[in-house]
Amino acid sequence: MSKSSPTSRSGRFASGPAADVAKFTESISFDWRLWRHDIMGSIAHAAMLHKIGVLTKGELAQISKGLEDIGQEIADGNFEWKEELEDVHMNIESELTKRVPAGAKLHTGRSRNDQVALDVRMWLRNEILELSGELRDLQMAMVELGAKNVDVIIPGYTHLQRAQPVYFAHHLLAYVEMFDRDHARLIDCFQRVNVCPLGSGAIAGSTLPLNREFVAKQLGFVDHNDKPLVTQNSMDAVSDRDFALEFCSVAAITAMHLSRLAEDVILWASSEFHFIKIADAYTTGSSLMPQKKNPDIAELTRGKTGRVYGNLVALLTLLKGLPMTYNRDLQEDKERLFDTTDTIRTTVRIVGAMLENTSVNKTACATAASDPALLATDLADYLVRKGMAFRQAHHAVGAVVALAEKENKPLNQLSLKELQSVDKIFGKDALDVFNLQKAMAQRNLVGAPGTNEVKRQLARWKKLLK
Ligand code: ARG
């Protein structure tokens, strides 16, 4: 049987937890990661306890120094975490109390219920800021890859069938838009993470005159006007994990975008497409087939989506049946949240690095983009310009395509006579439609893959992201 914990079982319990119980209920094996924020939170709480007269100046100094020393030892890898002390909160407090008698006053007006909510919020705040920068870097890597290949045209696909020509950069910028929405969601989510729950106690606040706003300010829970942001209902505050759930759902959408990008990269890197070449350092080989160079980063990116979705569903399920307020079930939130942040952050970084180490095979792209069928819609627009109703034009061009197929010729090799056999309206200038450069120059609607518009969009993103 393990030694009883001095902080959670003293008094009420005659014995410590059975060894299997300690193993089953511990969270120190994963929540140790919250140590930095646990210490920051405790120092702010102690400063507040001094402010309201619970701690003397000397006691506050001892507690702060004790916590800082412990922090240093943890950072140096010299701190011994104890499973029988359950979690990061009790490990740190118990060690502090061993060293500093005033440590016994630190938990005044506080419960692990509001403490853990505080720690996770502070930890997540930091992760969000890091991820936000990493998303920006990924966007920039895509903009730069597009800018480096600004003249490259590829077929755009619908149903994975060739549809219409687009600039390679336009295709990349589609993802830049997606990651921008992810970024906006992330920043929005931050607002709900950035609210201080400390002072909610176990469930019902405290009878002591705690200064919640002071703690909030100390820990950076403030709005743009430096006004402290504190939770407004103690019961909600200790049992709410919406902020974590929200982050996991933002991450799930980001993972979905990364997975779609990965799928495009995998297709593009295949011999069939051959649009891109990923540098050797960012690919892997086969243990059997010597010729293979596999896009494993992209495949794992696609594969990791499953765990990010899984974490979201696990959290939703974890929360759905909980009566008010704190229940130990909530301890299960951390591994899902940690795994989500770790997975999404590493993936965003590695995908950015992979793209920085990817080159475009201009010849293969040009060959694919030279398929005149990609401009069949332009031919219909030509007829519309001549006054034909679009439905009729669509039909006429369909007949032209069928004729070309029958004659076994590319669309742009049909003679004027052959075109006119479909409809007399076709003029000498009809075949000009198949000039790809001209065709691209004409697509100048906002958001279209036109020569000028794509350049404008690249410039817009460069300015926005720098
Ligand atoms: N390790 C716990 C968790 O992660 C901390 C809160 C425990 N509170 C309690 N009353 N047992 O949720």
Side-chain angles (χ1 to χ4, degrees):
M1 193 164 293
S2 46
K3 214 172 98 238
S4 91
S5 141
T7 43
S8 82
R9 299 175 73 93
S10 56
R12 170 75 172 77
F13 293 85
S15 76
D20 50 354
V21 173
K23 263 232 141 8
F24 188 71
T25 54
E26 67 85 23
S27 56
I28 190 61
S29 56
F30 49 88
D31 70 10
W32 63 269
R33 292 179 64 166
L34 300 171
W35 67 267
R36 193 170 265 119
H37 298 102
D38 194 72
I39 287 178
M40 279 163 58
S42 285
I43 292 177
H45 183 66
M48 184 275 291
L49 291 177
H50 165 60
K51 198 176 159 68
I52 65 168
V54 173
L55 294 177
T56 66
K57 204 172 168 188
E59 286 171 329
L60 169 61
Q62 280 175 22
I63 288 175
S64 301
K65 164 91 172 50
L67 287 169
E68 275 158 16
D69 289 349
I70 290 172
Q72 194 54 54
E73 283 159 39
I74 299 171
D76 295 343
N78 295 330
F79 189 82
E80 198 200 329
W81 299 109
K82 298 198 179 88
E83 188 180 85
E84 63 270 26
L85 291 178
E86 277 185 44
D87 56 25
V88 64
H89 325 292
M90 238 130 61
N91 264 272
I92 292 176
E93 189 192 327
S94 145
E95 184 58 31
L96 175 74
T97 311
K98 260 199 233 155
R99 299 177 185 193
V100 177
K105 294 187 179 176
L106 176 63
H107 215 47
T108 309
R110 186 175 75 169
S111 154
R112 272 186 299 159
N113 297 354
D114 57 351
Q115 187 177 0
V116 70
L118 173 76
D119 293 3
V120 176
R121 281 173 184 270
M122 286 205 289
W123 182 87
L124 184 55
R125 244 181 3 186
N126 195 54
E127 294 294 310
I128 288 176
L129 295 177
E130 296 289 339
L131 174 58
S132 135
E134 288 157 354
L135 269 176
R136 289 311 199 199
D137 291 345
L138 170 61
Q139 286 179 296
M140 200 55 186
M142 302 194 86
V143 169
E144 269 163 9
L145 183 60
K148 244 192 276 172
N149 297 282
V150 69
D151 299 326
V152 175
I153 302 168
I154 56 172
Y157 297 80
T158 63
H159 313 266
L160 206 55
Q161 305 289 320
R162 284 183 181 173
Q164 292 186 298
V166 295
Y167 280 101
F168 178 73
H170 189 64
H171 193 133
L172 292 180
L173 288 180
Y175 286 101
V176 175
E177 296 283 342
M178 294 178 222
F179 293 130
D180 207 54
R181 292 195 293 273
D182 294 334
H183 187 267
R185 271 186 281 271
L186 198 58
I187 299 305
D188 191 53
C189 159
F190 184 90
Q191 292 184 44
R192 278 165 301 280
V193 178
N194 194 32
V195 186
C196 187
L198 210 68
S200 302
I203 166 171
S206 172
T207 57
L208 300 166
L210 307 180
N211 188 337
R212 296 193 61 202
E213 288 70 22
F214 174 83
V215 176
K217 271 197 140 181
Q218 292 269 306
L219 296 173
F221 289 96
V222 290
D223 66 11
H224 292 309
N225 301 317
D226 220 29
K227 249 190 66 198
L229 298 163
V230 299
T231 53
Q232 299 292 311
N233 181 296
S234 63
M235 294 178 76
D236 178 40
V238 293
S239 58
D240 167 42
R241 294 294 181 273
D242 292 2
F243 62 90
L245 190 62
E246 226 181 299
F247 174 82
C248 287
S249 72
V250 171
I253 299 175
T254 309
M256 177 271 287
H257 291 151
L258 287 165
S259 184
R260 291 184 64 191
L261 171 60
E263 177 64 13
D264 275 343
V265 166
I266 292 164
L267 286 173
W268 287 349
S270 69
S271 307
E272 283 68 20
F273 277 79
H274 201 43
F275 288 176
I276 57 170
K277 181 167 175 271
I278 308 169
D280 287 358
Y282 286 82
T283 56
T284 50
S286 155
S287 56
L288 191 143
M289 300 166 283
Q291 87 284 11
K292 289 299 288 290
K293 203 176 113 170
N294 298 326
D296 286 27
I297 292 178
E299 291 169 79
L300 278 167
T301 296
R302 194 176 54 187
K304 282 179 191 294
T305 316
R307 61 201 280 168
V308 178
Y309 286 7
N311 290 338
L312 172 62
V313 174
L315 267 190
L316 282 165
T317 312
L318 172 69
L319 297 170
K320 74 174 267 290
L322 295 186
M324 291 289 257
T325 51
Y326 179 86
N327 297 273
R328 190 62 175 269
D329 315 45
L330 289 173
Q331 182 167 293
E332 288 287 310
D333 63 351
K334 277 169 277 305
E335 286 160 295
R336 301 302 106 225
L337 180 63
F338 294 166
D339 185 66
T340 300
T341 51
D342 292 345
T343 305
I344 208 78
R345 287 191 53 200
T346 349
T347 310
V348 166
R349 286 198 303 263
I350 194 87
V351 169
M354 177 185 70
L355 293 175
E356 279 164 14
N357 288 278
T358 293
S359 56
V360 172
N361 183 350
K362 297 193 180 192
T363 323
C365 293
T367 308
S370 69
D371 176 356
L374 291 166
L375 293 169
T377 310
D378 292 46
L379 192 59
D381 287 348
Y382 163 86
L383 294 178
V384 167
R385 284 204 184 89
K386 295 232 156 199
M388 194 183 268
F390 179 74
R391 278 289 157 226
Q392 241 179 302
H394 184 276
H395 185 84
V397 175
V400 170
V401 171
L403 177 65
E405 241 173 57
K406 199 177 112 218
E407 299 295 320
N408 203 13
K409 282 182 182 176
L411 259 190
N412 59 346
Q413 301 296 313
L414 289 173
S415 66
L416 180 58
K417 215 169 121 208
E418 284 169 319
L419 285 179
Q420 289 182 338
S421 76
V422 172
D423 199 303
K424 287 271 168 286
I425 196 173
F426 282 108
K428 289 206 295 299
D429 54 347
L431 288 172
D432 293 352
V433 159
F434 294 104
N435 179 327
L436 186 57
Q437 300 306 324
K438 261 201 194 153
M440 297 315 282
Q442 275 173 17
R443 292 157 155 71
N444 272 329
L445 298 180
V446 172
T451 314
N452 289 333
E453 175 62 5
V454 169
K455 283 186 185 143
R456 191 182 70 81
Q457 292 284 353
L458 283 170
R460 179 175 77 87
W461 280 115
K462 270 192 183 166
K463 205 168 136 196
L464 240 139
L465 294 172
K466 102 170 154 228

